Amino acid sequence: MAYDPGALDKTLAAAAGDDPSLVAELRSAFFESAQRQVSALHNAVNDQQWQVAAWRLKGLAASFGVVDLMDLANRAGEGVPFDKALLQRIDKSLAGFSGSFDFAPDDTPQ
């Protein structure tokens, strides 16, 4: 699966219209939330923690229309916990979003 910037961009445009600062804020909120859930996957110590993080990531991705990431998170939630290959694919997918920012995530407009 490849990163699809169009899905996130379309969802953000529908929510924020022509307000670039709101689009940037929403994009940053998505990325930061997704990072937290991916970190939770990496730090899970039992099946339940893994599954909860996967479901939260799936819900977040679904809310923003990011179908590829949603599918990967769904696979994590329904598959074998601690699947390293799947986790690497999730990491790679999320890394694709960090390159789509016009600003660094830590430089979110206030």
Side-chain angles (χ1 to χ4, degrees):
M1 282 182 204
Y3 161 63
D4 176 14
L8 180 60
D9 292 339
K10 287 177 189 175
T11 302
L12 294 176
D18 292 332
D19 185 344
S21 65
L22 183 53
V23 169
E25 186 176 336
L26 290 171
R27 182 183 295 274
S28 180
F30 165 77
F31 185 72
E32 290 172 11
S33 295
Q35 280 183 310
R36 279 193 299 275
Q37 296 316 313
V38 172
S39 290
L41 284 171
H42 279 278
N43 296 320
V45 295
N46 59 46
D47 294 0
Q48 184 178 10
Q49 288 179 355
W50 171 272
Q51 198 169 47
V52 167
W55 288 340
R56 287 180 177 166
L57 182 60
K58 177 184 173 184
L60 176 68
S63 295
F64 281 85
V66 183
V67 178
D68 288 346
L69 185 58
M70 182 183 74
D71 181 57
L72 291 170
N74 185 58
R75 290 179 189 192
E78 292 183 355
V80 177
F82 312 107
D83 181 335
K84 290 183 182 188
L86 183 56
L87 191 52
Q88 287 176 342
R89 291 178 67 194
I90 291 169
D91 288 340
K92 186 175 180 178
S93 178
L94 188 59
F97 288 99
S98 67
S100 70
F101 288 96
D102 292 330
F103 56 90
D106 294 334
D107 295 336
T108 306
Q110 300 294 328

